[in-house]
Amino acid sequence: MTDPAACRAVLEAALADPARLDAVARQTLAAASAPTLESALRDFAAAHGAAALPVLATLAADEAARDVRRAARRALYRLSQQGVTVPAKPPRRAVVERRPEQPGRAWLSGIDGTGSRAVWVLFEGGFGGTALCSLIVNDTAGILDVAGGAITKKRLEEELKSLRASQKLPWIEVPPARAVGAVAEALALHARLGTSPPAAFERWTSVFESARGLPAGAEGSRHDPPDPPTAGSPRVDLTLAERAAELLALPELASWFIDPESVQSDSLALLEARESRLVVSDQIKAEREASIVTRIVERELGPDGRRRWARRLDEMAFVFDATGRPEPGAIARAAAAALADESRDVTRQAFATGLARRALEIAGEVAAGRLRAADVSRKP
């Protein structure tokens, strides 16, 4: 047990050189009996007054030695009673601190024919819990739907299992930054359109801003669109691009076609040409149909349309690669690069004409009453 002389020696040494109040010195004080420690600190404060404050304040904040901390605080109190200004007591740290919510895991679905996809972001933090934000984002309208809240790991795994079993589109886990970027791109679109995301997104605004490395409430760059997560190849592989019709035969792209409502008159013209009583050759019929398809592509796939469909293809290339299908991924990238290259005639591209032909077929089904227009609309 430390005697009074040893306690005084430690305190005097610390007064002359604060660096000497190290862990060993504090252990020496902690080893003294409570009466010895109380007496040593009282005499030290009385002898040095305000000069003793740095040493006493350091000991009063020592979380490791409770008896030393209490004795030092009593010595500080006595000094304050004598008119010495004692520094304010530092706030105690919370037993459980709230950490900023940060994205820990994330998932994306494939993209449907309206340009919509599901985005899940699991945020970790708060008071040690997790919260899941579930969104539907669209490349022409922004954020369409938002839901979510606190979730346990067990419940998350159950939801993922159920989703994979029922989801018609591919569902992949991605780096959180990619999913956060998809949400940031949707927010940027809202800013350009002058619209707002659903009210339910307000709860998530600050955490997504934090995840993007932006201060809450920051203007300007806050809604700048992110760089495309996947860039189309600058060189077009024409052999692969010409196989783009194969993509439209995949179940994941079954909903990919130009809005049938926009080709109703073209569909009627095609139907009239097919049912005409005039005797014409198959070649002439094919030329008429090709002319209608060309007209649709020219009208519906201008620069904005080309960029939009190219981006969808590029994103699906990433999805195909992530699900272990490199061949459709390569075809999708080639078709995206061809669409994005505005020097290339879009009316001669297999993907563009495939979109138009499928739209004509579906518009014909609607006209015949076999499909409801609302069920095949490509409006988000």
Side-chain angles (χ1 to χ4, degrees), residues 101 122-125 128-132 149-153:
E101 291 177 300
L122 184 71
F123 288 95
E124 301 171 344
T130 54
L132 178 68
I151 191 169
T152 64
K153 291 183 179 180

Side-chain angles (χ1 to χ4, degrees), residues 25-316:
R26 296 185 196 191
Q27 288 174 2
T28 300
L29 294 174
S33 65
T36 298
L37 190 59
E38 185 78 21
S39 176
L41 288 172
R42 183 180 63 246
D43 293 346
F44 176 71
H48 298 288
L53 286 177
V55 176
L56 294 175
T58 300
L59 294 175
D62 188 354
E63 296 292 333
R66 185 176 61 177
D67 290 342
V68 174
R69 183 172 68 249
R70 289 179 174 178
R73 288 175 180 173
R74 283 194 288 269
L76 286 170
Y77 176 74
R78 294 189 189 97
L79 284 176
S80 69
Q81 293 296 97
Q82 296 169 16
V84 176
T85 302
V86 175
K89 178 181 175 182
R92 295 187 64 182
R93 293 175 59 189
V95 175
V96 178
E97 291 187 353
R98 181 181 180 87
R99 296 182 292 111
E101 291 177 300
Q102 292 294 326
R105 297 177 68 186
W107 298 263
L108 291 175
S109 75
I111 299 176
D112 71 13
T114 70
S116 295
R117 76 188 321 177
V119 181
W120 278 18
V121 183
L122 184 71
F123 288 95
E124 301 171 344
F127 288 105
T130 54
L132 178 68
C133 181
S134 171
L135 310 98
I136 301 295
V137 299
N138 179 270
D139 60 10
T140 62
I143 298 174
L144 300 181
D145 192 27
V146 185
I151 191 169
T152 64
K153 291 183 179 180
K154 181 179 180 181
R155 175 66 184 276
L156 174 65
E157 292 306 320
E158 290 173 352
E159 292 289 341
L160 285 171
K161 183 178 179 181
S162 173
L163 190 69
R164 292 188 181 105
S166 62
Q167 179 66 258
K168 295 180 181 179
L169 292 171
W171 187 252
I172 58 173
E173 185 162 4
V174 298
R178 190 181 187 98
V180 170
V183 176
E185 189 172 8
L187 290 172
L189 181 56
H190 280 296
R192 294 197 297 274
L193 296 176
T195 58
S196 299
F201 185 74
E202 185 175 353
R203 176 260 185 265
W204 304 97
T205 300
S206 62
V207 291
F208 274 101
E209 286 174 338
S210 176
R212 289 281 295 167
L214 297 170
E219 297 298 332
S221 61
R222 163 180 169 185
H223 292 309
D224 286 348
D227 293 332
T230 313
S233 171
R235 295 182 60 224
V236 180
D237 187 325
L238 293 178
T239 302
L240 286 175
E242 289 170 358
R243 295 174 57 190
E246 297 176 25
L247 296 177
L248 296 174
L250 297 175
E252 294 90 343
L253 272 62
S255 65
W256 283 37
F257 44 84
I258 294 169
D259 194 344
E261 183 180 356
S262 68
V263 301
Q264 284 181 343
S265 60
D266 304 287
S267 175
L268 180 60
L270 179 61
L271 182 63
E272 290 175 347
R274 287 175 174 175
E275 295 182 353
S276 173
R277 294 183 179 182
L278 295 176
V279 178
V280 295
S281 66
D282 290 342
Q283 180 180 349
I284 292 177
K285 289 182 180 180
E287 289 174 353
R288 286 180 178 176
E289 182 168 340
S291 175
I292 292 172
V293 169
T294 296
R295 186 167 68 237
I296 293 172
V297 172
E298 289 176 337
R299 185 180 69 236
E300 301 296 331
L301 291 180
D304 288 344
R306 291 179 71 156
R307 284 191 292 270
R308 183 167 60 252
W309 283 103
R311 179 61 188 268
R312 292 174 183 178
L313 281 166
D314 213 27
E315 284 293 303
M316 286 305 297

